[in-house]
Amino acid sequence: MAAVSQKHVQLALALPTKLRSFLARYPPVAILPAGVDPETSKTGYQQDTPNPFLPMKHPVTGKWHDPKYSLRRQADLVKLARTHGVEELLPFTPKKTEERLRKRVELGLRVKGTGVDQKVKGHKHERTLVAKMEKRREAMLEMPNLIREWKKVGKRNWTKFPK
């Protein structure tokens, strides 16, 4: 048991200082020892702001306070955590990889029509292209029969050919 906890300590010491100090201030429930109540073991930082990445409404005044970590600092922490394999220990942030992927799927490439259930209006020639090509394909399939008919009718009477 002591060897396992010693191994975790060595892994924690291998993290960069910035990431290590963040995890010390805001320890996730996943790394708390077994049998410890997460509510009673909150640090002073966690009691002030449960999630330092999100804005918080002051309980008395009702005013919104900015997050403790700016979006740029959040992105730096997430990148550090991702390179060291501990990204899932961070609290929710819009900078997390799975959140960015979810947003990319939902919104698309920020080009109109690339998101889920979105359509591009496009120019008229772009909107009618599929129907036009289908009509052209059907005409090409009917072309051998049409040529046979033209050969029967002859060159002089082709204007009288029924349409």
Side-chain angles (χ1 to χ4, degrees), residues 34-153:
V36 176
D37 185 25
E39 290 299 316
T40 58
S41 65
K42 285 188 176 183
T43 63
Y45 292 101
Q46 284 178 316
Q47 289 170 357
D48 292 341
T49 55
N51 187 347
F53 295 151
L54 299 177
M56 194 180 121
K57 193 172 187 178
H58 193 276
V60 178
T61 62
K63 291 189 176 189
W64 284 94
H65 292 277
D66 291 334
K68 296 291 181 193
Y69 286 82
S70 67
L71 291 174
R72 182 186 55 79
R73 288 175 64 200
Q74 289 178 34
D76 290 344
L77 273 173
V78 169
K79 285 177 197 171
L80 275 175
R82 189 180 317 125
T83 56
H84 292 282
V86 292
E87 185 181 0
E88 64 276 353
L89 295 179
L90 296 177
F92 173 80
T93 174
K95 300 294 182 178
K96 274 190 160 182
T97 307
E98 59 265 5
E99 181 62 21
R100 285 180 175 245
L101 290 174
R102 185 194 63 76
K103 208 158 198 172
R104 173 58 61 94
V105 168
E106 181 184 316
L107 298 176
L109 300 171
R110 296 287 185 188
V111 175
K112 188 173 181 183
T114 57
V116 178
D117 295 333
Q118 291 182 357
K119 253 185 164 177
V120 181
K121 180 183 175 197
H123 295 277
K124 179 151 187 188
H125 69 275
E126 294 170 335
R127 294 192 311 257
T128 58
L129 183 67
V130 174
K132 190 190 308 182
M133 293 309 282
E134 181 60 29
K135 201 171 180 182
R136 189 177 291 173
R137 189 182 73 77
E138 289 173 8
M140 290 301 287
L141 290 174
E142 291 294 320
M143 194 57 70
N145 296 336
L146 200 56
I147 291 172
R148 260 189 249 110
E149 288 293 324
W150 284 345
K151 285 185 177 178
K152 281 183 193 172
V153 171

